Amino acid sequence: MSRAAARTLAVAESRRVGAYVLLSVEDPDCDAAAGQFSMLAAAHGWGEGEDGRPYLPRAVSLCARRGTRSLYLLEDVGPGTRLLCELPAGAGVRSLGPLGRPFRPPADGTRAVIVGGGIGVAPLVMLSETLADATVLLGFRDGARAEAAGLFARASVATDDGSVGHHGSAADLLDRELEGAPATVYACGPAALLEAVRARCESAGLACQLALEAPMACGFGACFGCVVPRRGGGYLRVCVDGPVFDGDVLEGVEELAGAAP
Amino acid sequence: MSTEFCGLELAHPVVNGSGTFDALAALGVFGATLAEDFPFAAYVSKTITLAPRDGNPPPRLWETAGGLINSIGLPNRGVEHYMAEELPRMTFTARDDGRARPVPVITNVMGASAAEITELLGRCEQADGVAAVELNVSCPNVTTGLDIGADPEVLGAVIEEVRPVLTKPLIVKLTPNTADVAACAAAAAGAGADAVSLINTLRAMALAPDGSGPWLGGRTGGLSGPAIRAVALAQVAEVCDAVAVPVVGMGGVQSARHAAALIAVGAQLVAVGTETFRDPAAPRRIAQGLRELAPIQRGPVPRRA
C-alpha cells in the first residue's frame, strides 16, 4: 500500500453504467487496496459553479484498477459529483490518495459475503476481485442503478421496485445467506443497509467490516469533520480510522438528517 | 526568507491555523518524510483543554459559497495526554532554499476561566517542547457565558491575571465575533500578550436541506475559507494599526498573493488553514510564492485623506 500523494491526472474514459458514471483516470503510481478512497476535484471549474460550489474536493472510493488506470463509480447527487460526472476524456482531475484503511482479510475459517447497496457497490468491485470466492449480494433502488451489478463477475441482485432480481433489499438476500457456513460480511451502502448488516452480524456472532461514507473537508485526518459515534463513547474519523470499520467498534450506523449533497 | 517572530527563528512566514492540520495524523497518511520537510515554519497545535473533549455531534461540516462552516467542537484528549503522548512526537524540520530549521511548536490552549488558563499555561511553561503558547479566547466564560475574547475589558483582565505564569511568548488568538476587534487586540497587548493572531472563524449557520432544523450538530459553526478573506484583511489591517506587537494574519488565504496582502497591511506571519484541506501542498506553494514575490512593503496601509 503506497503513501498518499497529490497528483493531477487525466481522464482516460468516462462512460455511463445505467444511472451511474464510470470514470477512468490514467494513474500509474496509484497502489490502492480495496476500500481506500481518493479526494477528487476537477482541475478546472471547481469553485466556479452556481453559488461558488463545489469548493471542497469529494471523497470517492476506488472502484477498481485496470492496468495503469484507476476507476471511480460516480452518482450525480450534487454540484461536486455532477462536475466529476461530466468530465470528458482528456480533462484534468486533481487527486489526493489513496487514503484510508482498506478492507481486511476474512476472519479465520470463514467465507466472505459481500453486501452492497446503490453507489456503495463501488469499492466492492475491487474487493470482489481480491476475494474471488466471495458471495456477492447487491441491492439497488431500480433497474437503471442495478446495471452496476454488471461490474461484478457474478452477483445476486435485489431491487426496491422489483424490476430486477429479488423484490426487496440486499439485507433480505443476506438473511438467506447467513444460514450457511460461518461468514465474514463486508458491506458498503446506505446507512439503513449497513445498520441492518451490523445488527444481523452482531446477533449471529459474525465479524463484519463496514465501509462508511461521510462528507469530508480534507480526507487526511486534519479537519475532524467526518466523525461517526464510537461504541463506548467519543467519535471516530471516517477518513483515517476508516472508512472500513469492524462492525463492533461502531455504536450503530445512522443516516444524516436531510443528507448533504 | 527566514523570519523572526517573538524571538523564534522561522524558515519562512507561513504557519498553520490551529485545528487545521493534525501533524501526527498526516505523518501516518503522507509518511515520515513529512517530518523532515514540514510545510509550515511553525506548527500550531489544535486547541488543548484541561479535560478531554469529544467534540460536537455530527454533522460537523457544511460547504458554502467559497467556504466551509465547521462545528468540530475542539475535540482533544486533554493536556495530560497532549504533553505525554503528542508533544514528544512533534519534532519537525522546515526547509528554506535547502537550509533546515527546526519547527517550533506553538501550543494552542483554551480555558473557561483565568484559573483554568493559568493551569494550562503552567503546563506549557514546564514543557520543553512548547516554544510559545497561543491562547484561544473564543470560549464562553464560565460565569458570564460570554466569549472571553469578545469584550476588551474581560479579555484584558484575564490576560493580566494569567500572564505571570508564562515566560514564553504568549499569542492571543482574537475572535472576530466582537464589536471592536482593534480594542480587543489593544487590550490583549496592553495586558501582556506578545502577539495576536486573527481572524478566527466567523459564526455562521446552515439549515438542513429538508428544512428540519440547523444542519450542524453544534447548531452554529465557524465560517472559513475564501468567503472570509476580505473580512480578514480588514480586521488584520485594523489590528495592525492599533497595536505594536507582531500580528499573525489569516483568513481565506489560498495563494502567495493573498498572503502578501496580509503582510502588506502589517502581518508578521500568515497562517493557512482551510486551503490545506483542499490541497495539502498549499502551504509549501504559498511559502515558495512569497519567496518569488518582490519584497513586500509592510503596513500600515496609508489612509486616504
Side-chain angles (χ1 to χ4, degrees):
Chain A
M1 209 168 75
S2 62
R3 293 292 184 186
R7 323 180 269 292
T8 298
L9 308 169
V11 173
E13 186 192 1
S14 178
R15 70 177 171 93
R16 295 213 71 88
V17 177
Y20 305 114
V21 167
L22 189 65
L23 184 74
S24 172
V25 296
E26 197 59 49
D27 191 5
D29 298 327
C30 175
D31 180 20
Q36 289 192 292
F37 66 97
S38 301
M39 298 299 287
L40 299 182
H44 301 287
W46 209 258
E48 294 167 18
E50 184 189 348
D51 224 8
R53 298 179 66 209
Y55 168 65
L56 300 163
R58 299 299 192 252
V60 186
S61 287
L62 264 295
C63 175
R65 286 282 296 169
R66 294 286 179 266
T68 56
R69 294 176 177 181
S70 293
L71 272 52
Y72 297 95
L73 190 66
L74 301 165
E75 183 171 20
D76 172 359
V77 293
T81 46
R82 182 165 315 140
L83 207 48
L84 293 171
C85 282
E86 289 170 352
L87 288 176
V93 179
R94 285 189 286 118
S95 166
L96 174 70
L99 296 162
R101 299 176 67 212
F103 289 109
R104 296 165 289 280
D108 285 347
T110 65
R111 71 210 162 87
V113 176
I114 295 174
V115 183
I119 189 64
V121 305
L124 305 178
V125 174
M126 195 187 232
L127 180 67
S128 70
E129 292 169 0
T130 311
L131 304 171
D133 297 334
T135 302
V136 179
L137 314 171
L138 305 177
F140 298 93
R141 196 182 304 163
D142 51 35
R145 289 178 171 80
E147 285 188 40
L151 298 169
F152 293 80
R154 59 178 185 285
S156 301
V157 175
T159 47
D160 294 347
D161 65 3
S163 57
V164 181
H166 168 74
H167 189 170
S169 87
D172 304 339
L173 302 177
L174 178 65
D175 284 336
R176 292 180 217 161
E177 193 62 37
L178 290 185
E179 289 161 13
T184 294
V185 182
Y186 297 86
C188 186
L193 176 65
L194 294 183
E195 179 54 21
V197 169
R198 192 199 62 78
R200 280 164 170 79
C201 289
E202 187 171 67
S203 61
L206 297 175
C208 69
Q209 297 181 24
L210 309 177
L212 268 56
E213 179 181 48
M216 295 177 188
C218 70
F220 55 91
C223 76
F224 286 76
C226 61
V227 297
V228 292
R230 179 212 307 260
R231 179 168 293 195
Y235 297 102
L236 295 161
R237 281 174 282 183
V238 172
C239 66
V240 289
D241 299 318
V244 179
F245 294 97
D246 289 325
D248 57 10
V249 308
L250 299 173
E251 188 59 54
V253 186
E254 278 180 39
E255 192 77 61
L256 292 177
Chain B
M1 195 63 196
S2 65
T3 301
E4 190 268 339
F5 173 77
C6 291
L8 306 173
E9 280 294 320
L10 307 183
H12 53 76
V14 178
V15 303
N16 64 298
S18 174
T20 64
F21 192 74
D22 185 328
L24 301 182
L27 286 179
V29 172
F30 299 110
T33 52
L34 181 80
E36 294 307 310
D37 191 8
F38 202 68
F40 299 103
Y43 177 57
V44 184
S45 78
K46 63 187 167 197
T47 294
I48 306 299
T49 49
L50 279 179
R53 288 168 63 107
D54 286 338
N56 291 333
R60 291 177 167 186
L61 299 175
W62 179 265
E63 185 180 90
T64 69
L68 168 69
I69 308 175
N70 83 77
S71 100
I72 308 299
L74 308 174
N76 77 97
R77 298 176 72 176
V79 69
E80 205 66 50
H81 185 270
Y82 173 78
M83 292 297 176
E85 306 292 336
E86 299 170 44
L87 182 64
R89 295 169 57 206
M90 293 176 181
T91 308
F92 311 125
T93 304
R95 290 170 198 280
D96 176 60
D97 289 335
R99 180 147 177 229
R101 281 185 194 277
V103 174
V105 174
I106 300 173
T107 297
N108 181 298
V109 299
M110 183 184 81
S113 64
E116 269 191 41
I117 297 168
T118 299
E119 192 172 342
L120 285 160
L121 295 193
R123 296 299 305 269
C124 291
E125 179 69 11
Q126 292 160 21
D128 288 339
V130 177
V133 176
E134 184 177 61
L135 179 62
N136 177 354
V137 292
S138 300
C139 177
N141 183 295
V142 277
T143 48
T144 66
L146 300 170
D147 281 8
I148 289 170
D151 181 296
E153 272 183 45
V154 174
L155 179 62
V158 168
I159 297 197
E160 204 163 295
E161 188 174 342
V162 304
R163 177 69 260 211
V165 191
L166 190 73
T167 62
K168 297 171 183 179
L170 177 67
I171 307 156
V172 173
K173 174 87 170 264
L174 301 169
T175 172
N177 302 311
T178 177
D180 189 345
V181 71
C184 293
D194 300 292
V196 293
S197 53
L198 74 159
I199 63 173
N200 207 328
T201 56
L202 295 162
R203 189 155 53 247
M205 185 172 173
L207 291 183
D210 63 5
S212 58
W215 168 255
L216 296 167
R219 185 176 167 84
T220 62
L223 180 63
S224 65
I228 71 166
R229 190 163 58 236
V231 178
L233 187 63
Q235 293 207 1
V236 170
E238 204 179 331
V239 165
C240 289
D241 284 356
V243 299
V245 296
V247 172
V248 185
M250 70 193 88
V253 170
Q254 295 185 286
S255 69
R257 217 162 38 79
H258 302 150
L262 291 170
I263 293 170
V265 300
Q268 181 99 31
L269 301 181
V270 172
V272 178
T274 305
E275 183 65 6
T276 313
F277 296 159
R278 283 158 43 97
D279 175 12
R284 212 180 291 288
R285 167 165 59 73
I286 292 165
Q288 181 61 34
L290 280 177
R291 258 175 232 127
E292 290 160 5
L293 285 174
I296 300 158
Q297 195 68 43
R298 186 165 276 133
V301 175
R303 292 176 188 281
R304 285 183 198 280

